[in-house]
Coordinates of all heavy atoms in Angstrom, one line a residue:
H982 N -1.4 5.7 -0.5 CA -2.4 6.2 -1.5 C -1.9 7.4 -2.3 O -2.6 7.7 -3.3 CB -3.7 6.7 -0.7 CG -4.0 5.8 0.4 ND1 -4.5 4.5 0.2 CD2 -4.0 5.9 1.7 CE1 -4.7 3.9 1.4 NE2 -4.4 4.8 2.3
T983 N -0.8 7.9 -2.0 CA -0.4 9.2 -2.7 C 1.1 9.2 -3.2 O 1.4 10.0 -4.0 CB -0.5 10.3 -1.7 OG1 0.4 10.1 -0.6 CG2 -1.9 10.5 -1.2
S984 N 1.9 8.3 -2.8 CA 3.3 8.4 -3.0 C 3.9 7.5 -4.1 O 4.3 6.3 -3.8 CB 4.1 8.3 -1.7 OG 5.5 8.5 -2.0
V985 N 4.0 8.0 -5.3 CA 4.6 7.3 -6.4 C 6.1 7.2 -6.0 O 6.8 6.2 -6.3 CB 4.4 8.0 -7.7 CG1 5.3 7.3 -8.8 CG2 2.9 7.9 -8.1
A986 N 6.7 8.2 -5.4 CA 8.1 8.2 -5.0 C 8.4 7.0 -4.0 O 9.4 6.4 -4.2 CB 8.5 9.5 -4.4
L987 N 7.5 6.8 -3.0 CA 7.8 5.7 -2.1 C 7.6 4.4 -2.8 O 8.4 3.4 -2.6 CB 6.8 5.8 -0.9 CG 6.9 4.7 0.1 CD1 8.4 4.6 0.7 CD2 5.9 4.9 1.2
R988 N 6.6 4.3 -3.7 CA 6.5 3.1 -4.5 C 7.7 2.8 -5.3 O 8.2 1.6 -5.3 CB 5.3 3.2 -5.4 CG 5.0 2.0 -6.3 CD 4.8 2.4 -7.7 NE 4.7 1.2 -8.6 CZ 5.7 0.6 -9.2 NH1 6.9 1.0 -9.1 NH2 5.5 -0.5 -9.9
D989 N 8.3 3.8 -5.9 CA 9.5 3.6 -6.7 C 10.7 3.2 -5.9 O 11.5 2.4 -6.3 CB 9.7 4.9 -7.6 CG 8.7 5.1 -8.7 OD1 7.9 4.2 -9.0 OD2 8.8 6.2 -9.3
A990 N 10.8 3.8 -4.7 CA 11.9 3.5 -3.8 C 11.8 2.0 -3.4 O 12.8 1.3 -3.4 CB 11.8 4.4 -2.6
I991 N 10.6 1.5 -3.1 CA 10.5 0.1 -2.7 C 10.9 -0.8 -3.9 O 11.6 -1.8 -3.7 CB 9.0 -0.2 -2.2 CG1 8.7 0.5 -0.9 CG2 8.8 -1.7 -2.1 CD1 7.3 0.5 -0.5
A992 N 10.4 -0.4 -5.0 CA 10.8 -1.2 -6.2 C 12.3 -1.2 -6.5 O 12.8 -2.2 -6.9 CB 10.0 -0.7 -7.4
S993 N 12.9 -0.1 -6.3 CA 14.3 0.1 -6.7 C 15.3 -0.6 -5.8 O 16.3 -1.0 -6.3 CB 14.7 1.6 -6.8 OG 14.7 2.2 -5.5
I994 N 14.9 -0.9 -4.6 CA 15.9 -1.5 -3.7 C 15.8 -3.0 -3.7 O 16.6 -3.7 -3.1 CB 15.8 -1.0 -2.2 CG1 14.4 -1.2 -1.6 CG2 16.1 0.5 -2.2 CD1 14.3 -0.8 -0.2
E995 N 14.7 -3.6 -4.3 CA 14.6 -5.0 -4.6 C 14.7 -5.9 -3.3 O 15.3 -6.9 -3.4 CB 15.6 -5.4 -5.6 CG 15.4 -4.7 -6.9 CD 16.3 -5.1 -8.0 OE1 17.4 -5.7 -7.7 OE2 16.0 -4.9 -9.2
L996 N 14.1 -5.4 -2.2 CA 14.0 -6.3 -1.0 C 12.6 -6.7 -0.9 O 11.7 -5.9 -1.2 CB 14.4 -5.5 0.2 CG 15.9 -5.2 0.5 CD1 16.0 -4.2 1.7 CD2 16.7 -6.4 0.7
P997 N 12.3 -7.9 -0.5 CA 10.9 -8.3 -0.3 C 10.3 -7.4 0.7 O 10.8 -7.2 1.8 CB 11.0 -9.8 0.1 CG 12.4 -10.0 0.6 CD 13.3 -9.0 -0.1
T998 N 9.1 -6.9 0.3 CA 8.4 -6.0 1.2 C 7.0 -6.4 1.4 O 6.3 -6.8 0.4 CB 8.5 -4.6 0.6 OG1 9.9 -4.2 0.4 CG2 7.8 -3.5 1.4
I999 N 6.5 -6.3 2.6 CA 5.1 -6.6 2.9 C 4.5 -5.3 3.5 O 5.1 -4.7 4.4 CB 5.0 -7.8 3.9 CG1 5.4 -9.0 3.1 CG2 3.5 -7.9 4.4 CD1 5.2 -10.3 3.9
E1000 N 3.4 -5.0 2.9 CA 2.6 -3.8 3.4 C 1.5 -4.2 4.4 O 0.8 -5.2 4.2 CB 2.0 -3.1 2.1 CG 1.1 -1.9 2.4 CD 0.6 -1.2 1.2 OE1 1.2 -1.4 0.1 OE2 -0.5 -0.6 1.3
V1001 N 1.4 -3.4 5.4 CA 0.4 -3.6 6.4 C -0.4 -2.3 6.7 O 0.2 -1.2 6.5 CB 1.0 -4.2 7.7 CG1 1.6 -5.5 7.5 CG2 1.9 -3.2 8.4
H1002 N -1.6 -2.5 7.1 CA -2.5 -1.4 7.5 C -3.3 -1.9 8.7 O -3.9 -3.0 8.6 CB -3.4 -0.8 6.4 CG -2.6 -0.2 5.3 ND1 -2.2 1.1 5.3 CD2 -2.2 -0.7 4.1 CE1 -1.6 1.4 4.2 NE2 -1.6 0.3 3.4
L1003 N -3.5 -1.0 9.7 CA -4.3 -1.4 10.8 C -5.8 -1.5 10.4 O -6.5 -2.4 10.9 CB -4.2 -0.4 11.9 CG -2.8 -0.3 12.6 CD1 -2.7 1.0 13.4 CD2 -2.6 -1.5 13.5
T1004 N -6.2 -0.7 9.5 CA -7.6 -0.6 9.1 C -7.8 -1.3 7.8 O -6.8 -1.5 7.0 CB -8.2 0.8 9.0 OG1 -7.5 1.5 8.0 CG2 -8.0 1.5 10.4
D1005 N -9.0 -1.6 7.4 CA -9.3 -2.1 6.1 C -9.5 -1.0 5.1 O -10.5 -0.3 5.1 CB -10.6 -3.0 6.1 CG -10.9 -3.7 4.8 OD1 -10.3 -3.3 3.8 OD2 -11.7 -4.6 4.8
I1006 N -8.4 -0.7 4.4 CA -8.4 0.5 3.5 C -9.5 0.4 2.4 O -10.0 1.4 1.9 CB -7.0 0.7 2.9 CG1 -6.6 -0.4 2.0 CG2 -6.0 1.1 4.0 CD1 -5.3 -0.2 1.3
H1007 N -10.0 -0.8 2.1 CA -11.0 -1.0 1.1 C -12.4 -0.6 1.6 O -13.3 -0.5 0.8 CB -11.0 -2.5 0.6 CG -9.7 -2.9 0.1 ND1 -9.1 -2.3 -1.1 CD2 -8.8 -3.8 0.5 CE1 -7.9 -2.9 -1.3 NE2 -7.7 -3.8 -0.3
K1008 N -12.5 -0.4 2.9 CA -13.8 0.0 3.5 C -13.8 1.4 4.0 O -14.7 1.8 4.7 CB -14.2 -1.0 4.6 CG -14.5 -2.4 4.0 CD -14.8 -3.4 5.1 CE -15.1 -4.8 4.6 NZ -15.4 -5.7 5.6
R1009 N -12.7 2.1 3.7 CA -12.6 3.5 4.2 C -13.0 4.5 3.1 O -13.7 4.1 2.1 CB -11.1 3.7 4.6 CG -10.5 2.8 5.6 CD -10.6 3.2 7.0 NE -10.4 4.6 7.3 CZ -9.3 5.1 7.8 NH1 -8.2 4.4 7.9 NH2 -9.3 6.4 8.1
E1010 N -12.6 5.7 3.2 CA -13.0 6.7 2.3 C -12.4 6.3 0.9 O -11.5 5.6 0.8 CB -12.3 8.1 2.7 CG -12.7 8.6 4.1 CD -11.8 8.1 5.2 OE1 -11.0 7.1 5.0 OE2 -11.8 8.8 6.2
D1011 N -13.1 6.9 -0.1 CA -12.7 6.5 -1.5 C -11.2 6.7 -1.8 O -10.6 5.9 -2.4 CB -13.5 7.3 -2.5 CG -15.0 6.9 -2.6 OD1 -15.3 5.8 -2.1 OD2 -15.8 7.6 -3.2
F1012 N -10.7 7.8 -1.3 CA -9.3 8.2 -1.6 C -8.3 7.2 -0.9 O -7.1 7.2 -1.2 CB -9.0 9.6 -1.2 CG -9.1 10.0 0.3 CD1 -8.0 9.8 1.1 CD2 -10.3 10.4 0.8 CE1 -8.1 10.1 2.5 CE2 -10.4 10.8 2.2 CZ -9.3 10.6 3.0
R1013 N -8.8 6.4 0.1 CA -7.9 5.5 0.8 C -8.0 4.0 0.2 O -7.3 3.2 0.6 CB -8.2 5.4 2.2 CG -8.0 6.6 3.0 CD -8.2 6.3 4.5 NE -8.4 7.5 5.2 CZ -7.4 8.3 5.8 NH1 -6.2 8.0 5.6 NH2 -7.7 9.4 6.4
R1014 N -8.8 3.8 -0.8 CA -9.1 2.5 -1.2 C -8.1 1.9 -2.2 O -8.0 0.7 -2.3 CB -10.5 2.4 -1.8 CG -11.5 2.6 -0.8 CD -12.9 2.4 -1.3 NE -13.8 2.7 -0.2 CZ -15.1 2.9 -0.3 NH1 -15.7 2.8 -1.5 NH2 -15.9 3.1 0.8
V1015 N -7.3 2.7 -2.8 CA -6.2 2.3 -3.7 C -4.9 2.4 -3.1 O -4.5 3.5 -2.6 CB -6.3 3.0 -5.1 CG1 -5.1 2.6 -6.0 CG2 -7.6 2.8 -5.7
S1016 N -4.1 1.4 -3.0 CA -2.7 1.5 -2.6 C -1.8 1.5 -3.7 O -1.7 0.5 -4.5 CB -2.4 0.3 -1.6 OG -1.0 0.3 -1.4
I1017 N -1.0 2.5 -3.9 CA 0.0 2.6 -5.0 C 1.1 1.7 -4.7 O 1.7 1.1 -5.6 CB 0.5 4.1 -5.1 CG1 -0.7 5.0 -5.5 CG2 1.7 4.2 -6.0 CD1 -0.3 6.5 -5.5
T1018 N 1.4 1.5 -3.4 CA 2.6 0.7 -3.0 C 2.4 -0.8 -3.1 O 3.3 -1.5 -3.2 CB 3.1 1.1 -1.6 OG1 2.0 1.1 -0.7 CG2 3.7 2.5 -1.6
K1019 N 1.1 -1.2 -3.0 CA 0.8 -2.6 -3.0 C 1.5 -3.4 -4.1 O 1.9 -4.5 -3.9 CB -0.7 -2.8 -3.0 CG -1.1 -4.3 -3.0 CD -2.6 -4.5 -3.1 CE -2.9 -6.0 -3.1 NZ -4.3 -6.2 -3.4
G1020 N 1.5 -2.8 -5.3 CA 2.0 -3.5 -6.5 C 3.4 -3.9 -6.5 O 3.9 -4.7 -7.2
V1021 N 4.2 -3.3 -5.6 CA 5.6 -3.6 -5.5 C 5.9 -4.4 -4.2 O 7.1 -4.6 -3.8 CB 6.6 -2.4 -5.6 CG1 6.5 -1.8 -7.0 CG2 6.2 -1.3 -4.6
C1022 N 4.9 -4.8 -3.5 CA 5.0 -5.6 -2.3 C 4.7 -7.1 -2.6 O 3.9 -7.4 -3.5 CB 4.1 -5.1 -1.2 SG 4.6 -3.4 -0.7
V1023 N 5.2 -8.0 -1.8 CA 5.0 -9.4 -2.0 C 3.6 -9.8 -1.4 O 3.1 -10.8 -1.8 CB 6.1 -10.3 -1.6 CG1 7.4 -10.1 -2.3 CG2 6.4 -10.2 -0.1
A1024 N 3.2 -9.0 -0.5 CA 1.9 -9.3 0.2 C 1.4 -8.0 0.9 O 2.2 -7.1 1.1 CB 2.0 -10.5 1.2
Q1025 N 0.1 -8.1 1.2 CA -0.5 -7.0 2.0 C -1.4 -7.6 3.0 O -2.2 -8.5 2.7 CB -1.3 -6.1 1.0 CG -1.9 -4.9 1.7 CD -2.9 -4.1 0.8 OE1 -3.9 -4.7 0.3 NE2 -2.5 -2.9 0.4
F1026 N -1.4 -7.1 4.3 CA -2.3 -7.5 5.3 C -2.9 -6.2 5.9 O -2.3 -5.3 6.3 CB -1.5 -8.2 6.5 CG -0.9 -9.5 6.0 CD1 0.4 -9.5 5.4 CD2 -1.6 -10.7 6.2 CE1 0.9 -10.7 5.0 CE2 -1.0 -11.9 5.7 CZ 0.2 -11.9 5.1
I1027 N -4.3 -6.2 5.9 CA -5.0 -5.0 6.3 C -6.2 -5.4 7.1 O -6.7 -6.5 7.1 CB -5.5 -4.3 5.0 CG1 -6.5 -5.1 4.2 CG2 -4.4 -3.8 4.1 CD1 -7.2 -4.4 3.1

């Protein structure tokens, strides 16, 4: 939710990446609902 630097690192190494979260981030606090890193991942499981 906060790291543009991590998002850029994932994008720059060009390995297929899948993001996971134990909880449903879309049903949590407002600040947790957007994943910056999701856009550079091939899938997300939450």
